[in-house]
Amino acid sequence: MSAEPRYIHHVNFPTTDPDRTAAWYAQVFGMKRITPKSNTRVVLMTRGTFDLHFTPVEEMERMAPYHFAVEVDDWDDFLAHLKELGIRHTRPIQRPENQSKFCYIHDPDHTMIELVHHARRPN
């Protein structure tokens, strides 16, 4: 038995439109909506390797600079995917010291998401 945590199971963010949010995360990140057996209004989304939860709210407060980051396997393909969906991103920044790139996008509620790619990330 270990007293250390294994990993982050999920994070929870607010949403003003649960169905729009579920559709957006399914389209952008290939996540699947899970229908809970319990009586909850929380939107449960999974990718298998990470989960996101969204709690319905009436009004959205600005969350920036708070954000979460998603590592992508193929930088160019993912940016092309965003372009096909009409999703704008910030200017990509490269970090030569660790062979990484990053930029930011926003979901429909303006939650900031950092997209990251490490060319030589250890497994």
Side-chain angles (χ1 to χ4, degrees), residues 22-37:
W24 191 88
Y25 280 87
Q27 188 176 40
V28 175
F29 294 112
M31 299 186 82
K32 180 180 174 187
R33 188 172 188 172
I34 304 297
T35 304
K37 291 184 175 34

Side-chain angles (χ1 to χ4, degrees), residues 91-104:
R91 181 177 58 85
I93 305 293
Q94 294 190 20
R95 293 184 179 127
E97 65 273 14
N98 67 357
Q99 301 294 307
S100 70
K101 301 175 187 179
F102 71 95
C103 69
Y104 295 93

